[in-house]
Amino acid sequence: MKADRIRNFAIIAHIDHGKSTLADRLLERTGTLALREMRAQVLDAMDLERERGITIKMHAITMAYRAADGREYELNLIDTPGHVDFSYEVSRSMAAAEGVLLVVDAAQGIEAQTLSNLFLALENDLEIVPVINKIDLPNARPEMVTEELVNLLGVDESEIIHVSAKLGTNIEAVLEAIVARIPPPEGDPDAPLRALIFDSQFDKYRGAVPYIRVVDGRVAPGMQIAFFSNDATYEVTEVGRLRLGMHPAPELRFGEVGYLVASIKRVSDTKVGDTITEARNRAAGPLPGYREVHPMVFAGLYPTDADQYADLRDALEKLKLNDSSLQYEPETSSALGFGFRCGFLGMLHREIVQERLEREFDLDLITTVPNVEYHVYPEHGEMLLIENPSKMPGAGEIERVEEPFVRGRFILPATYIGGVLKLCEERRGKHVKMEYIDAERVEIEYDLPLAEIITDFFDRLKSATRGYASFDYEFREYRASDLVKLDILVNGDPLDALSVILHRDRAYDWGRSLSEKLKQLIPRQMFEVVIQAAIGTRVISREVVRPLRKNVTAKCYGGDITRKRKLLERQKEGKRRMKQVGTVEIPQEAFLAALQIES
Amino acid sequence: MLGIAPRSERLEWTLELNPDDATTDRLARWRDRGVTRISVGAQSFDPVRLAFLGRTHGPDAAIRAVRAASKAGFEEISLDLIFNLEVTGTTPAGRRKAWARDLATAFALPITHLSLYGLTIEPGTAFDSRVRGGATLTAPDAAYAAEYRAACGAARRAGFEHYEVSSFALPGHRSRHNSAYWTGAPYLGLGPAAHSFDGLRRWANVSSLTGWAEALATGGDPRAFVELLTPAQRQLETLYLGLRRSEGVERGHPLLSGRAAEVVDALLHEELVVEQGTRLACTTRGFLVLDGILDRLAEGAEGKGIAPRAARPGMERRDSFDNVLGRR
């Protein structure tokens, strides 16, 4: 297909605004999928994605469309993950396109994620086609949403397409707008190959298969290719187009979207945003925008049953095949035994990984309190990256600690402004701006420490605004904060898995509620158990579990022997779920409780 | 029974006596027929405590029973006492005094043996339903320990040996049949609900009288269960039964090696057990938390095959049978 007949586009929307339904309608209307192939929302393939109604892994699909001008066009829909955790991937998918459909719910209007995605699209210089979806809803208020979009984008009302993806209303208009308004790809067909990796899948037989957008030149089987981010070279064995499944093609030319097979062993070798070029005819430089994906949230993952350690290691290896953003390294906790410190892109990513480990690999896991990565500047020596609170040096050796801050964006009905401001202030937020986007709704921006968002922020926001606020954020920078490490000691032995780094003002409450909770959960032992919360050597909270004095003093005659032995055997079974710290036995519930501390 | 039992001075034949049933005549007759030992279920000598326990006998009945037995010529007389009672309306000081009086009364009597029980609430009993209804019937933990220690002290002063966690005896007057249970000797129980052990298997008869009688009449098996002990189960038994006794267990016991050896070191350090030559035995402190000690030891012995193996009547496993035989 000639480049002027190609249109590469993405769809962006706030969650539940109907992105996937609209994609389904486009596929159906262009005859890309026969009716029997249609499942609702075919692009969201993974079970978890379908359940949660969000897209985690991106996919792409090619459609053929005969437009009103009588010509045949090739439309490449590049799907984007719909969550802040994956914003880098979203931006790389957008970089593979020339335009986006910006979908807004006719009842909800613009939401925080709409704006985040829009800003990413603008950064990538994309043509924006605004679409108001769900106009069939009884509470739809398309005029209001139209006004919001006109204000936001500075477009003419007539450029906004009103559709109902559910009913299939006005889908033609969307297809025509893609053809008419989104520019065809530009590129140099004769220049050395440059192709952008925007996704990659792992196939048992073919290895890592990158999904690419060819920007310059062409790629075909037999060609030696190289990646800019590393020095590896591979021979291409197959290229093709993505429809429902992979369809081999003789070549991929500039402007086209497809996949490439080159016996690449690991997905981590095909980094999203990286540039592929021809090994013997290298392009002068890579496409802009590539960066190493860096985890933002860390947590220790431990098997409940120590026997599952090897299974957990194997499971993580398998997940990593398909998810190069997942990082992990072995870690030993005196309390929880052998496990892994895992790095995630964000909280959703963490939940997904844990859920997949438990669901697909049948593992029973304990997760430590999630934390961010701290930049610790010691009095002497170089900056340390601390992603595990128990590795934090002593307070005396530290000059300052910096933590990641994000720019948080809220959109909400004005009635709830008070609740959101209060929450942000509590969470050490710095107010940036507040403005009305229409008569009833405001947009608020705050700079917040990421650490304050990864615990129960979303739940608190939801209850403060009865679910009417939308929230999104992007990483800003590292800033110095008055942070301390809080340790929990049991009879003087630190429970390393319960150490946390937090702001000094919050340490007292955290320490107190955690030690109180532990007091309830640690069973009485034969000796006194002292639970302390401490910052360095300063104890800020102390609880005592009184020793167990009482045992059954009773006869043990012939008839009691079996019963007592069975009791002992059963108790022993129960004990397996206890963890020994020093001389104290601590039930696993105690560790789980720490995760449920209300901050 | 009185007619068929063999008579021998070397035999111990204990009769459990309800205090109300004791008359010198009866006791003399029993002694004449070969009974060598009388066990009196006194529980307490305090009318309030007896009423609390729902006992029908009066405060003096047990005293009279012990004196009658002694007068009838019995040398071996054992008494049961219960502590850990939280009698409504009693102050802590009142409770302490009542217990001290019970102990003083007991050791002033011509007894050679004392069995000591802490009141425990068993599920399904009348006490249990009262506790569920919000009543407090047992003393607080600190009082429990204090009363147990008071009993140990009183027994020691009276010259009694604390030879098992809940048993005290004058030298040479230990209960031989009870000791049999704790040392792994075989025993045969007759009648409904009776338990037996032949060195390899434990079994018990069904507990209902009619069920037991019917099984015997129709030639059926009157047993409620039979279990063939695995070597591991037998080891666990010898460990916990041994630690109940003042003799303790051999340090070389198979369940005291490996990780359990570290637990033993900790227990020694905590003075819950002491070394006596090649043996390891509980201190008084240790007896008070014996269940906890056993838990810790059993936990330490993990991986040594302590887990129970299914054994039901008629489903004995040949292989484990051989194991047992091979070990002995």
Side-chain angles (χ1 to χ4, degrees), chain A residues 508-518 541 597-598:
Chain A
Y508 178 73
D509 283 342
W510 179 280
R512 202 189 44 190
S513 54
L514 185 51
S515 43
E516 278 170 6
K517 206 150 189 176
L518 286 171
S541 162
I597 292 283
E598 289 285 320

Side-chain angles (χ1 to χ4, degrees), chain A residues 13 28 116 128 130 155 157 165 216 390-391 412 424 427 463 577:
Chain A
E28 197 182 69
S116 307
I128 313 254
V155 292
E157 259 189 61
D216 291 319
S390 65
K391 302 254 167 71
L412 59 143
C424 288
R427 298 304 176 98
S463 60
R577 270 167 253 123

Side-chain angles (χ1 to χ4, degrees), chain B residues 4 47 58 62 68 72 85 88 105 128 204 218 225 245 255 287 302-304:
Chain B
I4 59 168
L85 309 185
T88 319
T105 309
D128 184 37
T218 58
F225 76 88
R245 304 173 61 232
L255 296 187
F287 277 146
E302 192 174 11
K304 292 220 152 81

Side-chain angles (χ1 to χ4, degrees), chain A residues 403-406 427-429 447-454 481:
Chain A
E403 63 177 332
F405 269 69
V406 298
R427 298 304 176 98
R428 304 190 280 129
D447 281 353
L448 291 153
L450 178 61
E452 299 287 345
I453 292 173
I454 61 175
S481 292

Side-chain angles (χ1 to χ4, degrees), chain A residues 236-508:
Chain A
V236 178
T237 55
E238 183 183 316
V239 296
R241 315 306 303 273
L242 296 155
R243 292 193 183 88
L244 191 72
M246 297 183 187
H247 296 262
E251 62 171 1
L252 290 177
R253 291 149 40 103
F254 89 96
E256 292 184 329
V257 170
Y259 67 92
L260 176 157
V261 181
S263 309
I264 305 161
K265 282 210 187 72
R266 289 187 306 260
V267 166
S268 49
D269 291 336
T270 59
K271 296 195 169 76
V272 167
D274 197 2
T275 304
I276 296 175
T277 188
E278 192 175 355
R280 275 175 238 141
N281 183 19
R282 286 179 82 100
L287 296 160
Y290 170 76
R291 65 178 166 86
E292 289 278 341
V293 179
H294 195 68
M296 298 295 280
V297 173
F298 298 81
L301 247 53
Y302 291 85
T304 306
D305 179 353
D307 295 345
Q308 284 194 332
Y309 171 76
D311 297 341
L312 174 58
R313 190 189 51 219
D314 294 349
L316 283 168
E317 252 168 49
K318 286 202 181 99
L319 282 193
K320 173 100 184 162
L321 284 178
N322 235 332
D323 181 356
S324 56
S325 54
L326 170 66
Q327 298 191 359
Y328 61 93
E329 56 183 42
E331 153 180 289
T332 310
S333 152
S334 62
L336 299 176
F338 294 127
F340 294 91
R341 171 106 331 210
C342 300
F344 308 99
L345 296 176
M347 287 307 281
L348 178 73
H349 189 215
R350 184 186 78 88
E351 276 176 49
I352 291 164
V353 169
Q354 180 165 1
E355 215 164 309
R356 290 189 66 189
L357 287 171
E358 293 186 335
R359 195 185 293 203
E360 295 169 29
F361 298 93
D362 203 21
L363 296 168
D364 210 359
L365 300 174
I366 296 184
T367 325
T368 63
V369 179
N371 57 269
V372 298
E373 185 172 67
Y374 296 94
H375 290 179
V376 177
Y377 294 86
E379 293 282 356
H380 309 284
E382 285 182 19
M383 187 261 275
L384 305 167
L385 293 174
I386 298 293
E387 63 213 27
N388 181 346
S390 65
K391 302 254 167 71
M392 180 97 153
E397 303 159 41
I398 296 173
E399 188 220 299
R400 74 192 144 94
V401 182
E402 292 183 351
E403 63 177 332
F405 269 69
V406 298
R407 169 71 48 89
R409 184 178 298 111
F410 306 79
I411 292 183
L412 59 143
T415 350
Y416 299 112
I417 291 174
V420 170
L421 297 188
K422 182 165 171 284
L423 176 63
C424 288
E425 294 298 326
E426 276 171 23
R427 298 304 176 98
R428 304 190 280 129
K430 305 256 181 319
H431 185 260
V432 178
K433 73 165 189 184
M434 176 160 80
E435 56 190 42
Y436 279 81
I437 52 171
D438 61 30
E440 291 156 25
R441 299 200 308 153
V442 288
E443 183 197 347
I444 299 175
E445 283 186 6
Y446 256 89
D447 281 353
L448 291 153
L450 178 61
E452 299 287 345
I453 292 173
I454 61 175
T455 45
D456 59 351
F457 189 80
F458 289 89
D459 292 340
R460 290 286 308 279
L461 178 64
K462 213 170 170 181
S463 60
T465 62
R466 299 170 75 186
Y468 282 111
S470 60
F471 172 64
D472 211 346
Y473 62 86
E474 69 223 11
F475 172 73
R476 292 282 291 181
E477 66 202 347
Y478 271 79
R479 291 183 194 168
S481 292
D482 188 7
L483 299 168
V484 293
K485 183 173 98 161
L486 180 86
D487 292 314
I488 296 289
L489 308 170
V490 172
N491 281 3
D493 290 318
L495 277 187
D496 54 3
L498 295 185
S499 291
V500 289
I501 293 172
L502 75 182
H503 194 264
R504 191 179 298 278
D505 295 347
R506 296 264 307 283
Y508 178 73

